[in-house]
Amino acid sequence: MASPSRRPVRRAPVEEEEIVPSRGSGAARRKAAAKQGLPMVPLAIGGGIVLLIVVVVLMMKRHAPAPEPTPIGSAAANGASVNAVATKQDAAPTAATGASAPPPAPVAAPFDRASYEAKVAAAATAVEALALGEQAERSSKEVALAELAYQKALALEPKNAAARRKLDVRAIDPQADFPRLDEIQGSAQTYLLRPFLKLKGKELSRSERAAEVARWTKERVAIDARIAEAADDPFLNRIDRLRNDLGNKPFFQDFNYEVIESTRPYALFVELKGDTLTERDARREAVEEAYAPFLAAYDQTIHTYLKPLSPAPPKEDPTFIVFILLNRESYDRFFLEFEDTAGPPGMRAHYTPVEKWAFTYSPQVSNPKDPSFIEGTQSLLHELTHAWVDRLATGDGGKTYSIRTVFTHWFNEGIAEWMSCQAWDDEKVLFRPWKSMRMQELAQRPAGVRIPLKRALRVVHSGDLGSEAAQVAREQKVVDPAQATMICMSGFYADMWLFIFWLNFGNDRKYKHLFEEYVRKEFAGNGGAETADRIFAEVFARQNLEQEVDAFQQGIAKGTIRFEDAPLELEK
């Protein structure tokens, strides 16, 4: 009898073979279970219970979906650990359920600055501009872009409260907003604060105030440096004090100028021209370049000759304020606004003893060898000599100084002409009286239209000069009396210059020491006609004095009398 057939038993895949955990340490068992892909379940000591649990687990695995084949070349195919397969199987249910990963966060479009600025420019209402500003705050995070819109809103509606709040608009207070400004205010350098003091009460936004504070912080460094530099410098202090005062004086309230300090002791207040910084700088630099060599040569002559003749010369050089105006129109406006009178025709420069300022004008400074510039410069040096006499003449041994100490008009004007004789050599400026423009004037003067020398030496003031000139004009028959008066008055300056020239250089300098003696008397307040008669007795005794002086001038003009360049010095 055949045996009943038996149902064949399929053998499970290797990875599903029943694994009986071996006895041993818990760690070893857990390790073995992990290697076979078994759940990490703590085993009770009872073997049956353990076996039952293992069988149940194996049966559950047998009926689980088969894993997807591993492609050739994958980690599993190349001997990767079974954990990689288990990981893939663990992920499979997620895909099977149809659940999808969360979508990536949307990327914000970049802020279009150009488009935004165009919209701000086109905004027609404050509300529209405010909305754009708030949009910029959210999108760009740039405060400046938002403020651009808020500024537009404020321009469209100046009292818009929202725009003012957004911009933090308030009136500026220089003392509060600019640190240490109050410490400087009231000092000689207060004029440097003027741009910041002008902001008082002006309503500015937060960013505008910040910009002004930044500007102040930068400028304060230069202001502090100026304060330190001028602390013990009378020259700089005089300049700074004057700059403080000028803004409150007629004519100077809108005076556009800069100061050249490189020519000390002469401080040049230069009127500028042009609307750009380049043009103004060019004017300032041209004036400095043109005047500096003349002032240097002139100052040397003052210190080697004129200053030592004072009975009590100042220990420190005074500061001489010199205004270089732009043109004749500006010069005339100064007279009308400051002096309250019309400027004398033909005047090219003058000195004011009250303010102790010298003035001239120079429309053309590009060529310092130009005759018109030479004329203006010689006129200025003439006036600066008056300024020096005002600081050298003292009748009380140096307690006070004043040009009024000098008694005679002929000496005041003659010495001013004499010291102004600075002229170009090929490369530099030297004291050259024979190059004076007065030499040409004397050569062209009509014969007989002049104040006689001995009468001219007794002229005490400008009133006397006018009287003498009018008398000569009536006596002569050569030219119209009005014209003759003008020729006599101008010729007086030339004649007094020529007389001093002759005393210093004529007759082998025989009378040079006499002139220097007379200068000392004038500077000490002891000059005048009687002093001149006593000191120049030998000179006045010459029978043909006037003709001799004229012959000296004519010899120079013809070239028969020549001189070598040499500094003007005192007789030893």
Side-chain angles (χ1 to χ4, degrees):
M1 186 173 172
S3 302
S5 62
R6 299 184 63 182
R7 193 176 181 178
V9 179
R10 290 189 305 173
R11 300 186 65 86
V14 175
E15 65 270 20
E16 295 181 0
E17 287 182 354
E18 180 177 329
I19 303 298
V20 180
S22 63
R23 297 182 181 274
S25 66
R29 290 195 303 271
R30 287 193 297 271
K31 183 175 181 182
K35 185 174 182 181
Q36 297 299 324
L38 297 176
M40 301 298 292
V41 181
L43 299 178
I45 294 177
I49 297 173
V50 173
L51 181 60
L52 177 63
I53 294 172
V54 170
V55 171
V56 170
V57 170
L58 288 175
M59 291 297 290
M60 291 175 67
K61 282 189 70 174
R62 180 174 297 171
H63 295 284
E68 294 180 4
T70 303
I72 297 175
S74 68
N78 289 284
S81 71
V82 180
N83 286 337
V85 178
T87 303
K88 188 171 183 180
Q89 288 176 339
D90 291 342
T94 304
T97 60
S100 59
V107 178
F111 185 79
D112 189 343
R113 187 189 188 107
S115 174
Y116 170 79
E117 291 177 348
K119 289 178 181 178
V120 171
T125 66
V127 172
E128 184 181 351
L130 282 167
L132 287 168
E134 291 170 352
Q135 175 195 347
E137 283 190 66
R138 293 190 303 270
S139 304
S140 73
K141 308 301 182 185
E142 291 189 38
V143 175
L145 279 176
E147 287 198 351
L148 180 67
Y150 299 144
Q151 289 283 10
K152 179 64 181 291
L154 202 61
L156 291 167
E157 193 177 316
K159 295 184 179 181
N160 187 285
R164 292 172 66 85
R165 184 174 62 256
K166 290 282 191 181
L167 292 169
D168 188 21
V169 174
R170 66 170 174 81
I172 200 164
D173 179 359
Q175 279 73 20
D177 290 318
F178 304 134
R180 289 192 55 245
L181 180 142
D182 56 341
E183 297 176 19
I184 301 169
Q185 194 170 9
S187 70
Q189 288 73 37
T190 301
Y191 71 95
L192 294 172
L193 306 179
R194 200 166 290 143
F196 302 98
L197 292 174
K198 285 182 178 179
L199 295 173
K200 184 175 182 179
K202 184 176 182 181
E203 291 192 331
L204 299 178
S205 68
R206 181 191 307 103
S207 60
E208 289 171 334
R209 287 196 306 276
E212 292 297 340
V213 170
R215 183 166 70 100
W216 161 253
T217 302
K218 181 179 179 181
E219 287 296 317
R220 196 182 66 192
V221 175
I223 294 172
D224 288 342
R226 177 65 176 201
I227 292 172
E229 183 183 18
D232 299 312
D233 192 329
F235 175 75
L236 297 180
N237 263 296
R238 172 98 194 276
I239 293 171
D240 288 349
R241 287 195 302 271
L242 179 57
R243 296 190 75 170
N244 280 341
D245 296 339
L246 281 183
N248 302 319
K249 296 181 181 296
F251 175 77
F252 295 105
Q253 293 174 354
D254 59 349
F255 187 56
N256 182 19
Y257 73 97
E258 283 189 14
V259 181
I260 296 173
E261 299 173 353
S262 63
T263 50
R264 73 162 61 204
Y266 314 100
L268 308 185
F269 285 61
V270 180
E271 185 176 14
L272 304 176
K273 69 174 180 178
D275 298 324
T276 67
L277 185 61
T278 300
E279 291 175 304
R280 293 193 292 271
D281 283 348
R283 163 72 177 175
R284 181 197 177 283
E285 291 170 5
V287 168
E288 183 174 15
E289 184 177 352
Y291 278 95
F294 283 94
L295 290 170
Y298 169 79
D299 196 60
Q300 180 182 6
T301 306
I302 289 289
H303 284 81
T304 58
Y305 183 79
L306 194 64
K307 188 177 178 181
L309 293 172
S310 170
K315 294 179 181 180
E316 299 289 339
D317 281 349
T319 300
F320 297 94
I321 304 298
V322 183
F323 289 93
I324 311 292
L325 302 184
L326 189 57
N327 47 40
R328 180 70 201 195
E329 290 75 18
S330 185
Y331 193 57
D332 287 339
R333 189 168 66 86
F334 166 79
F335 274 99
L336 288 172
E337 296 180 12
F338 190 88
E339 301 285 3
D340 198 25
T341 186
M347 181 179 285
R348 185 65 190 266
H350 73 283
Y351 173 67
T352 59
V354 176
E355 290 82 15
K356 300 188 184 304
W357 299 340
F359 282 83
T360 189
Y361 63 90
S362 290
Q364 190 281 114
V365 290
S366 58
N367 180 13
K369 296 183 179 181
D370 183 89
S372 65
F373 179 78
I374 297 293
E375 177 187 1
T377 304
Q378 188 169 336
S379 298
L380 174 62
L381 299 181
H382 173 111
E383 300 303 328
L384 282 175
T385 305
H386 289 322
W388 267 108
V389 171
D390 206 14
R391 269 63 160 212
L392 296 175
T394 173
D396 53 15
K399 294 179 181 178
T400 60
Y401 295 89
S402 175
I403 196 172
R404 294 179 177 83
T405 304
V406 175
F407 286 160
T408 54
H409 195 58
W410 80 263
F411 170 75
N412 253 331
E413 299 304 335
I415 194 67
E417 285 293 324
W418 178 239
M419 299 302 296
S420 71
C421 295
Q422 311 295 330
W424 273 106
D425 189 7
D426 290 337
E427 300 295 333
K428 57 184 177 180
V429 177
L430 299 171
F431 178 75
R432 284 181 163 182
W434 53 92
K435 294 288 186 179
S436 169
M437 301 186 78
R438 293 298 184 183
M439 191 68 70
Q440 301 174 15
E441 180 181 353
L442 291 171
Q444 297 170 359
R445 181 173 57 185
V449 186
R450 65 187 298 187
I451 301 171
L453 180 59
K454 291 186 178 181
R455 282 166 57 182
L457 292 173
R458 296 189 177 277
V459 171
V460 176
H461 49 72
S462 58
D464 287 348
L465 175 58
S467 298
E468 289 288 347
Q471 183 176 341
V472 170
R474 290 192 297 269
E475 293 170 352
Q476 61 82 41
K477 306 296 181 184
V478 180
V479 296
D480 176 78
Q483 184 181 1
T485 301
M486 295 300 298
I487 292 173
C488 286
M489 292 185 71
S490 178
F492 168 82
Y493 293 84
D495 279 329
M496 297 305 95
W497 163 81
L498 179 60
F499 180 59
I500 294 174
F501 191 0
W502 179 79
L503 288 172
N504 277 272
F505 284 86
N507 296 288
D508 294 327
R509 306 192 179 193
K510 179 179 180 180
Y511 303 120
K512 188 175 188 300
H513 71 285
L514 295 179
F515 177 69
E516 291 167 5
E517 181 182 350
Y518 182 78
V519 176
R520 290 188 175 94
K521 295 294 184 182
E522 283 280 18
F523 278 177
N526 298 319
E530 293 182 1
T531 301
D533 287 342
R534 177 173 53 80
I535 292 177
F536 297 128
E538 181 183 351
V539 174
F540 293 158
R542 302 179 76 88
Q543 292 185 352
N544 299 309
L545 175 61
E546 192 165 297
Q547 290 78 4
E548 192 173 342
V549 173
D550 286 347
F552 176 75
Q553 177 266 323
Q554 291 165 9
I556 296 171
K558 293 177 181 178
T560 57
I561 300 177
R562 296 177 179 273
F563 306 94
E564 294 183 0
D565 287 322
L568 182 61
E569 297 177 336
L570 294 177
E571 187 73 13
K572 295 181 180 179

